[in-house]
Amino acid sequence: MWRAGRLPRLRLTATGEASMCSSKPAKPSLSSSPQSNCSARSQAEKQRRRREREEAILSNAHSTAKDEAVRWSEKQKMVYATQTPPGTKKDAMSPFPSSYCPEYVESSWYQWWEKEGFFRPEQHEKLSHRVDQTFALCMPPPNVTGTLHLGHALTVAVEDALVRWRRMQGYRVLWVPGCDHAGIATQTVVERRLLRDRGKRRQDFTRKQFLHEVWNWKKETGEEIYHQLRRLGASLDWSRACFTMDPGFSRAVTEAFVRLSDSALIYRSEALVNWSCVLESAISDIEVDSKQLSGQTMLSVPGYEDKVEFGSLLTFAYPLEGHDGEVAVSTTRPETMLGDVAIAVHPDDPRYQCVHGKQCRHPFTNRLLPVITDSMVDMELGTGAVKVTPAHDHTDFLLSQRHSLPRITVIGGDGTMTPPCGKWLEGVKRFDARQLIVDALVEKGLFRGKKTHPMTLPVCSRSGDIIEPLLKKQWFLRCEEMAKKAIQTVEDRKLEILPHYYTKTWNNWLFNISDWCISRQLWWGHQIPAYQVEFPNSTEKQEELWIWGRSEDEARQRAAVKYKVKPEDITLTQDPDVLDTWFSSGLFPFAMLGWPEQTKDLQLFYPNSILETGSDLLFFWVARMVMLGTELTGGLPFKQVLLHSMVRDKHGRKMSKSLGNVIDPLDVIHGVSLERLQQKVMEGNLDPRERLVAMGAQRKDFPKGIPQCGTDALRFALCSHKMQGEDISLSISEVLSCRHFCNKMWQTLRFTLGVLGANTTPVGTLEETSPVSSLDRWICSRLYSTIVECERALEAYELHAATSVLYSFWVHSLCDVYVEYVKPVLLQQEEAALVLPDTHVATSILYHCVSTSLALLSPFMPFITEELWQRLLPFRPQAAVQTTLCLQPYPRSSQLAHWHFPEAEKDFLLVQEVIRVARSLRAQCAMTKDKPAMWAVCSPSQAQVLHRFGSAVWTLSRISSLHIYSPGAEPLLRVHSTPPPVGSLVGVVDHTCQLHLYIQSGMNVDKQMLRLSQRRDKLVPKLEKILCRVRSPDYLCKVPAHIKQQMDNKTSALQQELEAIDDQLKVLQQTRSKE
């Protein structure tokens, strides 16, 4: 059921095209061409872009600096070798490896979490920080036939992050795993297996025997998806795992059908459906792929030895009956002309005024075809006359209803021509008949030509067959009233769809909805609990009578009451068809909780808190859950719908098995060779060109295969993308960068454990730890601000914002600044006392920053955070509330209110810029070990800031001393009144602050002059561009005051830097002259 990466297609097509059966067209337009000119241009453009992408892949022309193949070197792999029986806690006291290895880190933790029941809602009662709130959701159940790819991994990463976050907040959490029985997909897989292994077809078995084979196959292969979910770290309650064919779920499906039938919402009728001739079944919209053809194309079709031609528009004539002349029509499907019952023209078309009301003679059936008028016809397209084939075209079917036209089926369910076509075509396969009909038209002198024609071809995603719209008796669910309620719930804000712009799509789809065909001609699935009623003793010809019930006995009793006969006088035959898989999937939010029984789970967790899924399932799954849930339970199945975008490959193509570009998340987690990737493509059933493109892309993108990245890195990379917007183009290099982040975390813990191990004084509690130095105050406040931003982002479901702020704090604040600042403690350098007068406070702050950050990161990176948190546990100042990080209280900003120092964060912005410029000056001189003196020439307020953060500046800038010179300022402690020495290297921080690095010797004058000249060449155009903008006529009157101030500051800073460069070049020139 899980079809990540596929957007729903709602399209209206005219003669020659198959459209979808679950969305009725709004104001259809008939034409002699199956596509409008605009549609043809759009398809041609799509086809052109696709060809360009493919050619770029094959020619290696697509590469840019950003998109180069992933560069990586094989890392040393470490294995957790301690004997740990499955389900027992991992030994966190074993020697700490020198570097991060995902294989080592991710070993054993999940089995322990699962065995201890940490993911079950019953754990809620054991939490000291529990709150009386519930968070429940169901995972979109993946098809039992498939394996997960990165699109599914995104769903897991997002949902698990939300679930773990709420669980740590003390919510009663339920996240139910499930698997969809995938009727068509599963039956197809098992049929192919039986044919390959035993040479038998489904028809060689009884239905019971075949279903036995399916269940055996499910037992053998059905656990693969669950294995992938566990490897992804999904904190699911496995004790409640739900398969849509389980007895309990099947009872729910039967109950739903009976209740909906009793309410007259389910009915049986004859209508056009999407039909697969290979499967001999109706199929759902989402199982129809749209193949874009730019024109005449030869394609392989199942059941045909030779390729079949598509993308051609054929024109032929119908002679007028009793008059001279003819009416020419065009079609891409000439085999359907045997079912033509009329010709339609626009009433205002001057070309056909004289034929209104006349008739044409069918050249093969001798049938008279009336020429009818209808304003739906587009007279600008083709000949302006349209052949009407109601039994094989959705638009023509609507037209037949308006004009009371007959419907003649000329193609059977097996794809062969039917008896009404005549003996010469009866039993001939439809595409073979196509050529026979064209030849016959030529022979009769009625063929008028053929031309190439862009078109969209509907293809069955399961069988590769070309979809045929056929008239069939099926079971339908009335949707109009339920759809109105679904629209109203969103308008009344009882249901929220995020992002909100999908509300318009929701309304459009539901407003144009048509009744849903819910029956499928399969054996695998929920057999429809409806029975055909017959009275064996009756002598009259009986019409088709149906009854339904929860069992055959109940159906018999219902029939006896309905038809006023004795139960024993009735013969019941259950409908052999099964229900559409989407019908059972639509019940998932409440059927998984035990409905229709009023179970404790149903009372506690229904409605679910949220549904998170891909935007492509908004109509096919989400809308149907809302309609069915509201109708059957009296309430909405969930309160919010959170939709994420589609995951594409780095070339912008959707991830699809048909393109061969899907990536198994386990291949990213464990690593995989290029050879194995190519082998997987070869094992697939791809078109030769698609295989060539897929393998070319793999060789280009992964010349050495995919490196081992680990689960945490993959999850963090996926959550780092903005879900609610543009499609996600994930590259492995991004995941590899997140693995580097994991190693950064690992090394930070090595340092922290070293500090804690050497410290004889216990770490202070969070409440009693108060920062002393300015940098202590800054890092504490940065942690507080990080938690505030993380809280805001998670409440808004902006996971990318949360991951960004957490990454920034750990790398840029904790590691790049604070850890570098406190290293003298561990290294016991002589200047440590000057830097950190109170090392105990710094040690406590370091511990709490690391420990709190691990808790913040836990929902996104469960394995590494658990591993590192467990290693910190012995140093915890208080006993842990829980034995696992995933049940610890999630950090709250209110706990760190005493660590909020906004002025320190604001002041440190200047300090960071000073450090950056100082390091840049050192780099210009190629200084590595020397520590020169530095002067800061700045304003009085800046002087005070630099004075407070003086130790951080000289430690992180790697200078021997910091001299602060502020002309005209009051004398300050340690602020020198003497200006910097002449000939110092100058760097500009902003328009009021300059740095002067005094280099006494060892400078390469020529190199320095070259660097300064190059810098000047870059700055001059920047300054000219700003001055040009400032001098424009509209600048003074249109630009806001704060923007003007920013521009003035930039101008002043650039001018100062250019002046400083000129001065330095003069001094360097003089130095060189003396030499």
Side-chain angles (χ1 to χ4, degrees):
M1 192 279 290
W2 217 357
R3 298 272 292 178
R6 171 156 312 181
L7 289 174
R9 298 168 299 281
L10 300 180
R11 59 178 181 270
L12 170 66
T13 56
T15 304
E17 296 298 320
S19 63
M20 304 296 102
C21 62
S22 64
S23 297
K24 66 184 178 186
K27 299 181 181 179
S29 173
L30 294 174
S31 71
S32 59
S33 167
Q35 299 288 329
S36 67
N37 288 335
C38 177
S39 176
R41 284 195 299 270
S42 173
Q43 290 164 16
E45 179 63 19
K46 288 180 181 178
Q47 191 72 11
R48 183 187 63 79
R49 289 199 299 265
R50 178 177 177 177
R51 282 198 306 270
E52 286 179 354
R53 284 195 295 265
E54 291 177 350
E55 291 301 329
I57 292 171
L58 293 173
S59 65
N60 287 332
H62 186 79
S63 292
T64 64
K66 183 179 178 181
D67 291 329
E68 287 294 330
V70 180
R71 292 196 179 114
W72 56 280
S73 57
E74 193 72 47
K75 304 293 183 184
Q76 180 184 358
K77 292 186 179 180
M78 286 168 286
V79 179
Y80 175 70
T82 306
Q83 288 295 326
T84 306
T88 57
K89 187 177 179 181
K90 187 177 181 180
D91 180 13
M93 302 307 294
S94 58
F96 196 53
S98 60
S99 61
Y100 167 74
C101 176
E103 190 174 351
Y104 177 93
V105 169
E106 293 165 17
S107 172
S108 302
W109 287 122
Y110 195 93
Q111 294 92 325
W112 176 59
W113 292 333
E114 186 178 343
K115 184 178 179 183
E116 292 296 318
F118 293 149
F119 305 151
R120 301 188 64 189
E122 288 76 11
Q123 280 286 340
H124 178 260
E125 303 306 320
K126 302 176 184 178
L127 301 180
S128 59
H129 61 288
R130 65 182 178 272
V131 295
D132 190 21
Q133 294 191 65
T134 296
F135 187 75
L137 76 161
C138 64
M139 174 183 288
N143 287 351
V144 69
T145 56
T147 56
L148 307 186
H149 58 63
L150 288 184
H152 306 125
L154 173 64
T155 300
V156 173
V158 171
E159 292 184 10
D160 196 37
L162 296 176
V163 163
R164 287 177 179 269
W165 166 55
R166 287 301 192 194
R167 191 182 288 120
M168 292 176 74
Q169 284 189 315
Y171 282 55
R172 182 185 291 106
V173 173
L174 176 64
W175 188 25
V176 177
C179 214
D180 190 90
H181 65 276
I184 292 176
T186 302
Q187 181 162 313
T188 302
V189 167
V190 175
E191 284 192 57
R192 286 175 181 168
R193 178 178 174 177
L194 290 172
L195 187 62
R196 183 190 68 233
D197 296 349
R198 302 191 208 171
K200 290 187 176 183
R201 301 184 180 276
R202 171 169 56 96
Q203 291 77 7
D204 297 328
F205 297 85
T206 64
R207 182 171 189 149
K208 185 176 181 180
Q209 289 171 335
F210 180 77
L211 292 180
H212 180 72
E213 295 291 337
V214 178
W215 278 109
N216 285 340
W217 172 87
K218 195 265 180 186
K219 290 175 185 176
E220 293 174 17
T221 62
E223 292 297 315
E224 174 60 24
I225 287 174
Y226 287 171
H227 169 69
Q228 286 181 298
L229 290 172
R230 286 180 168 95
R231 286 299 295 114
L232 284 165
S235 58
L236 294 150
D237 182 0
W238 294 103
S239 67
R240 289 172 167 86
C242 187
F243 179 49
T244 51
M245 288 294 287
D246 286 341
F249 204 104
S250 296
R251 283 194 297 273
V253 173
T254 299
E255 182 69 25
F257 185 93
V258 171
R259 290 193 188 186
L260 292 169
S261 299
D262 288 344
S263 302
L265 289 173
I266 289 179
Y267 66 95
R268 186 172 174 83
S269 178
E270 185 177 56
L272 272 180
V273 296
N274 299 321
W275 188 267
S276 168
C277 297
V278 170
L279 299 173
E280 294 195 46
S281 173
I283 64 172
S284 66
D285 297 6
I286 205 169
E287 286 155 336
V288 179
D289 287 336
S290 294
K291 190 173 185 67
Q292 306 292 337
L293 304 181
S294 59
Q296 184 175 331
T297 309
M298 303 300 292
L299 296 176
S300 297
V301 178
Y304 292 82
E305 291 183 7
D306 299 325
K307 290 188 175 183
V308 180
E309 179 184 312
F310 296 95
S312 295
L313 189 66
L314 294 87
T315 302
F316 65 91
Y318 278 121
L320 285 166
E321 177 71 10
H323 301 275
D324 292 335
E326 63 183 31
V327 179
V329 296
S330 298
T331 181
T332 58
R333 302 165 64 209
E335 64 274 15
T336 64
M337 64 90 65
L338 276 301
D340 289 357
V341 296
I343 299 169
V345 297
H346 196 283
D348 299 332
D349 193 331
R351 294 170 293 178
Y352 299 108
Q353 293 294 320
C354 62
V355 299
H356 290 185
K358 291 185 171 56
Q359 294 178 315
C360 291
R361 178 71 65 178
H362 198 290
F364 303 127
T365 66
N366 214 31
R367 192 164 50 243
L368 286 175
L369 311 180
V371 179
I372 61 174
T373 60
D374 200 293
S375 57
M376 293 164 62
V377 176
D378 186 350
M379 52 185 169
E380 298 297 324
L381 294 175
T383 66
V386 179
K387 62 189 284 296
V388 182
T389 320
H392 295 280
D393 185 276
H394 290 271
T395 310
D396 293 359
F397 182 81
L398 297 176
L399 197 59
S400 72
Q401 292 176 319
R402 289 160 63 111
H403 295 272
S404 301
L405 298 172
R407 300 155 192 166
I408 302 171
T409 297
V410 294
I411 300 175
D414 61 354
T416 63
M417 307 305 285
T418 60
C421 299
K423 294 291 185 181
W424 68 296
L425 287 178
E426 184 180 350
V428 177
K429 291 191 288 188
R430 53 183 168 154
F431 297 130
D432 290 339
R434 172 179 294 185
Q435 189 58 49
L436 293 176
I437 291 170
V438 172
D439 292 342
L441 287 169
V442 171
E443 186 179 335
K444 288 180 177 289
L446 297 175
F447 187 72
R448 297 292 177 264
K450 180 176 79 170
K451 64 179 181 179
T452 187
H453 182 74
M455 64 180 293
T456 301
L457 196 65
V459 179
C460 175
S461 64
R462 302 301 181 189
S463 65
D465 189 25
I466 308 302
I467 295 301
E468 192 68 48
L470 291 186
L471 268 180
K472 291 287 183 180
K473 283 190 175 181
Q474 303 282 332
W475 293 95
F476 291 86
L477 177 64
R478 302 182 200 275
C479 294
E480 187 174 358
E481 290 303 316
M482 290 192 294
K484 287 179 181 178
K485 293 178 185 177
I487 292 173
Q488 196 62 44
T489 58
V490 175
E491 290 180 354
D492 295 342
R493 299 185 179 180
K494 295 177 182 177
L495 175 66
E496 184 181 21
I497 299 176
L498 300 171
H500 290 119
Y501 56 76
Y502 277 110
T503 300
K504 183 178 180 181
T505 307
W506 174 269
N507 291 339
N508 287 340
W509 275 343
L510 290 173
F511 180 76
N512 291 312
I513 200 170
S514 62
D515 290 352
W516 172 15
C517 174
I518 58 173
S519 49
R520 299 289 180 265
Q521 290 62 52
L522 305 171
W523 283 358
W524 171 246
H526 299 104
Q527 191 171 354
I528 295 175
Y531 302 80
Q532 189 167 3
V533 181
E534 293 179 317
F535 307 108
N537 299 327
S538 176
T539 57
E540 298 179 7
K541 184 178 180 180
Q542 299 177 23
E543 61 178 275
E544 197 173 85
L545 303 176
W546 290 88
I547 198 70
W548 45 86
R550 295 168 182 84
S551 65
E552 184 174 337
D553 288 340
E554 180 181 312
R556 187 177 301 280
Q557 294 301 322
R558 283 170 170 251
V561 172
K562 182 176 180 179
Y563 299 112
K564 298 180 176 57
V565 295
K566 295 179 180 179
E568 58 268 22
D569 293 337
I570 297 172
T571 298
L572 297 181
T573 304
Q574 186 172 359
D575 192 330
D577 293 353
V578 300
L579 287 164
D580 180 10
T581 302
W582 292 98
F583 184 86
S584 54
S585 298
L587 311 178
F588 212 87
F590 46 97
M592 71 177 188
L593 301 174
W595 182 91
E597 305 299 326
Q598 289 301 309
T599 62
K600 184 178 179 181
D601 277 1
L602 191 66
Q603 294 168 5
L604 272 176
F605 301 111
Y606 191 82
N608 297 174
S609 308
I610 191 173
L611 177 82
E612 196 285 330
T613 189
S615 56
D616 55 314
L617 294 180
L618 180 61
F619 179 73
F620 294 107
W621 190 44
V622 181
R624 288 165 174 174
M625 281 190 288
V626 170
M627 291 191 295
L628 291 172
T630 304
E631 187 64 33
L632 293 169
T633 70
L636 287 167
F638 29 74
K639 303 162 191 173
Q640 288 181 308
V641 176
L642 178 63
L643 302 169
H644 64 247
S645 302
M646 183 191 301
V647 178
R648 295 183 178 272
D649 66 14
K650 63 186 291 185
H651 303 286
R653 302 176 303 161
K654 71 177 183 181
M655 288 198 172
S656 167
K657 289 181 180 178
S658 63
L659 294 178
N661 63 343
V662 294
I663 297 177
D664 185 339
L666 297 191
D667 286 342
V668 181
I669 292 170
H670 301 304
V672 66
S673 66
L674 174 62
E675 291 72 25
R676 178 60 187 137
L677 288 172
Q678 304 255 286
Q679 184 182 349
K680 287 186 177 185
V681 173
M682 294 298 294
E683 290 170 356
N685 187 26
L686 291 183
D687 176 89
R689 178 174 171 81
E690 296 291 4
R691 184 184 299 118
L692 187 67
V693 172
M695 297 179 73
Q698 288 180 339
R699 283 191 296 271
K700 180 167 178 279
D701 298 340
F702 316 117
K704 297 165 58 181
I706 296 176
Q708 182 191 56
C709 296
T711 300
D712 293 314
L714 175 59
R715 288 171 54 124
F716 198 77
L718 288 166
C719 290
S720 297
H721 282 270
K722 186 176 182 181
M723 299 178 301
Q724 304 165 21
E726 297 180 357
D727 291 341
I728 297 170
S729 183
L730 183 74
S731 68
I732 298 300
S733 59
E734 295 175 55
V735 187
L736 197 57
S737 295
C738 292
R739 173 181 167 142
H740 297 157
F741 174 47
C742 291
N743 190 58
K744 192 84 168 177
M745 295 169 63
W746 193 264
Q747 300 307 327
T748 305
L749 255 292
R750 279 176 58 82
F751 171 77
T752 304
L753 292 173
V755 173
L756 294 170
N759 190 39
T760 56
T761 308
V763 172
T765 64
L766 186 65
E767 294 75 18
E768 66 189 20
T769 301
S770 297
V772 177
S773 71
S774 295
L775 202 66
D776 286 344
R777 290 162 63 86
W778 171 78
I779 192 65
C780 289
S781 194
R782 281 290 301 117
L783 180 59
Y784 170 85
S785 298
T786 297
I787 296 175
V788 169
E789 181 59 26
C790 196
E791 287 173 334
R792 185 208 65 77
L794 288 172
E795 290 291 348
Y797 304 130
E798 295 176 355
L799 270 59
H800 69 286
T803 56
S804 176
V805 72
L806 291 173
Y807 177 89
S808 179
F809 174 78
W810 192 293
V811 174
H812 302 307
S813 298
L814 182 60
C815 292
D816 291 352
V817 177
Y818 195 71
V819 168
E820 291 300 315
Y821 177 68
V822 299
K823 269 185 180 178
V825 175
L826 182 60
L827 302 177
Q828 297 183 349
Q829 296 172 346
E830 293 180 3
E831 62 266 30
L834 295 174
V835 177
L836 294 168
D838 192 338
T839 57
H840 172 62
V841 171
T843 301
S844 295
I845 288 172
L846 176 63
Y847 169 85
H848 288 298
C849 282
V850 172
S851 179
T852 304
S853 296
L854 289 174
L856 290 168
L857 283 162
S858 179
F860 306 101
M861 313 173 85
F863 291 104
I864 189 172
T865 52
E866 182 78 69
E867 176 85 25
L868 299 181
W869 183 83
Q870 293 286 350
R871 290 182 180 274
L872 277 180
L873 208 53
F875 303 98
R876 190 180 177 91
Q878 296 173 324
V881 178
Q882 298 292 331
T883 58
T884 175
L885 176 58
C886 61
L887 293 180
Q888 285 295 307
Y890 199 74
R892 303 192 312 273
S893 56
S894 58
Q895 295 174 305
L896 276 79
H898 64 296
W899 274 18
H900 187 210
F901 306 103
E903 74 288 346
E905 290 191 69
K906 180 181 177 183
D907 290 346
F908 197 73
L909 295 174
L910 170 67
V911 177
Q912 281 183 301
E913 191 62 15
V914 166
I915 294 169
R916 184 191 67 79
V917 174
R919 288 178 172 178
S920 176
L921 292 175
R922 284 176 54 87
Q924 288 180 35
C925 300
M927 300 184 71
T928 54
K929 295 182 179 180
D930 293 342
K931 294 184 178 182
M934 186 173 76
W935 272 256
V937 180
C938 56
S939 67
S941 60
Q942 290 173 323
Q944 293 181 34
V945 171
L946 294 178
H947 174 64
R948 286 196 298 273
F949 286 94
S951 60
V953 173
W954 66 258
T955 300
L956 298 173
S957 301
R958 299 203 65 188
I959 56 177
S960 60
S961 59
L962 173 64
H963 306 276
I964 304 173
Y965 177 62
S966 183
E970 298 261 340
L972 297 170
L973 181 64
R974 289 194 183 180
V975 173
H976 294 251
S977 57
T978 57
V982 176
S984 298
L985 196 60
V986 181
V988 176
V989 176
D990 61 25
H991 66 291
T992 58
C993 182
Q994 291 183 351
L995 301 184
H996 296 251
L997 204 65
Y998 183 55
I999 311 298
Q1000 292 182 322
S1001 62
M1003 182 191 298
N1004 187 314
V1005 174
D1006 291 335
K1007 282 187 177 181
Q1008 186 58 24
M1009 290 183 68
L1010 179 61
R1011 290 193 190 100
L1012 290 171
S1013 298
Q1014 290 173 339
R1015 176 67 177 164
R1016 191 182 192 285
D1017 292 341
K1018 288 183 179 180
L1019 294 180
V1020 169
K1022 286 185 179 180
L1023 179 60
E1024 290 176 348
K1025 185 177 180 181
I1026 293 176
L1027 290 175
C1028 182
R1029 182 180 173 187
V1030 169
R1031 291 166 184 164
S1032 65
D1034 297 333
Y1035 181 78
L1036 291 175
C1037 58
K1038 290 188 176 181
V1039 177
H1042 71 282
I1043 300 295
K1044 290 178 186 176
Q1045 185 62 51
Q1046 291 176 9
M1047 297 296 286
D1048 291 344
N1049 292 344
K1050 283 183 179 179
T1051 303
S1052 177
L1054 286 170
Q1055 289 172 337
Q1056 287 186 36
E1057 188 169 358
L1058 285 168
E1059 289 175 7
I1061 287 174
D1062 289 339
D1063 291 342
Q1064 289 178 80
L1065 286 171
K1066 289 178 183 177
V1067 171
L1068 290 170
Q1069 185 64 44
Q1070 292 171 0
T1071 302
R1072 190 167 64 176
S1073 299
K1074 291 177 182 178
E1075 293 176 353

